[in-house]
Amino acid sequence: MKNLYLTISLIALSLSSFAQQVAPQFKVVTIVESIVPGGLGRSRLIETKTEVNAADFTTERTDGKDSKQGDVKRGDAKIDSFAETKLLNFFSVAGINFQNIASNDAIITSKMNELAKDGWKLSFVTSGVESDGGKEDGAGIFITRLIFSK
């Protein structure tokens, strides 16, 4: 009986040690919300469905000046498989649209709840804005990146 307990304890300890050695996985979900007046922009929630190896697009400089980035083709870095969820624009013809913002919040919350059910945990949030520069600009986006891990 002692041998059985010892064997079970060793197996449990091995599995626990193995589980701690597994590196975490990360997932990025990007939210792009248009702040173009008149509701003319496009707003989306984007989630990649393709795994990519960053090393395939990375070069190194040895003298600080010579770059081999010209050997990396932009087209090769583009992926074809991603999920695109329609969101509403921040502005409508009458100006800022709070119903659109609340609707976007509901869609984003739904996505976050879906990912949480799949074991993903929200680790970081980062955001930025390129705002409408006035009468001559007519363009702008608010971008948020949600970084999940498990």
Side-chain angles (χ1 to χ4, degrees), residues 25-36:
Q25 292 178 292
F26 293 95
K27 173 186 273 300
V28 177
V29 174
T30 300
I31 302 161
V32 179
E33 294 174 283
S34 171
I35 54 175
V36 175

Side-chain angles (χ1 to χ4, degrees), residues 16-50:
S16 173
S17 175
F18 175 74
Q20 292 174 359
Q21 293 176 6
V22 175
Q25 292 178 292
F26 293 95
K27 173 186 273 300
V28 177
V29 174
T30 300
I31 302 161
V32 179
E33 294 174 283
S34 171
I35 54 175
V36 175
L40 298 174
R42 297 182 311 162
S43 298
R44 300 287 188 274
L45 183 147
I46 305 295
E47 178 186 4
T48 185
K49 298 296 184 180
T50 303

Side-chain angles (χ1 to χ4, degrees), residues 102-118:
S103 298
N104 287 357
D105 288 351
I107 294 168
I108 294 164
T109 299
S110 172
K111 175 48 101 176
M112 292 175 72
N113 286 333
E114 173 191 319
L115 291 170
K117 285 179 188 171
D118 291 340

Side-chain angles (χ1 to χ4, degrees), residues 11-115:
I11 290 171
L13 184 61
S14 296
L15 289 175
S16 173
S17 175
F18 175 74
Q20 292 174 359
Q21 293 176 6
V22 175
Q25 292 178 292
F26 293 95
K27 173 186 273 300
V28 177
V29 174
T30 300
I31 302 161
V32 179
E33 294 174 283
S34 171
I35 54 175
V36 175
L40 298 174
R42 297 182 311 162
S43 298
R44 300 287 188 274
L45 183 147
I46 305 295
E47 178 186 4
T48 185
K49 298 296 184 180
T50 303
E51 286 193 31
V52 173
N53 184 353
D56 294 341
F57 309 102
T58 303
T59 60
E60 293 187 20
R61 293 184 187 211
T62 54
D63 64 0
K65 297 176 184 171
D66 212 11
S67 173
K68 302 285 187 217
Q69 275 294 296
D71 296 342
V72 178
K73 305 288 184 259
R74 288 180 187 266
D76 293 341
K78 290 191 177 193
I79 62 162
D80 294 323
S81 181
F82 61 94
E84 181 178 18
T85 304
K86 183 170 278 217
L87 296 174
L88 302 169
N89 298 330
F90 278 169
F91 287 99
S92 62
V93 175
I96 194 165
N97 189 316
F98 295 108
Q99 184 179 19
N100 286 3
I101 293 170
S103 298
N104 287 357
D105 288 351
I107 294 168
I108 294 164
T109 299
S110 172
K111 175 48 101 176
M112 292 175 72
N113 286 333
E114 173 191 319
L115 291 170

Side-chain angles (χ1 to χ4, degrees), residues 124-136:
F124 305 99
V125 177
T126 184
S127 63
V129 64
E130 192 288 308
S131 63
D132 180 7
K135 188 176 179 183
E136 300 296 318

